[in-house]
Amino acid sequence: MASQEAVELAKKIIELDMLRDEIWEHYAALTGDDVHKLLRLVQNS
């Protein structure tokens, strides 16, 4: 059985994943066709 700490960490990971999806959808709506291009540009700067 997983420890309580492991369960809490798993819950946080799930929450972060859901938040990431929400942020991505908003970001994609703002950037349109340049979604990946802008992300790579910012990531590499």
Side-chain angles (χ1 to χ4, degrees):
M1 183 89 171
S3 70
Q4 184 63 31
E5 182 180 10
V7 170
E8 292 302 317
L9 288 173
K11 287 178 182 180
K12 286 181 182 181
I13 290 169
I14 293 166
E15 289 174 14
L16 285 170
D17 191 44
M18 290 169 54
L19 178 59
R20 181 200 175 277
D21 289 346
E22 289 176 29
I23 292 170
W24 179 261
E25 288 176 16
H26 185 82
Y27 167 70
L30 289 174
T31 57
D33 292 338
D34 294 329
V35 64
H36 293 291
K37 181 180 176 182
L38 180 59
L39 183 66
R40 295 291 177 232
L41 180 68
V42 172
Q43 190 175 37
N44 293 326
S45 64

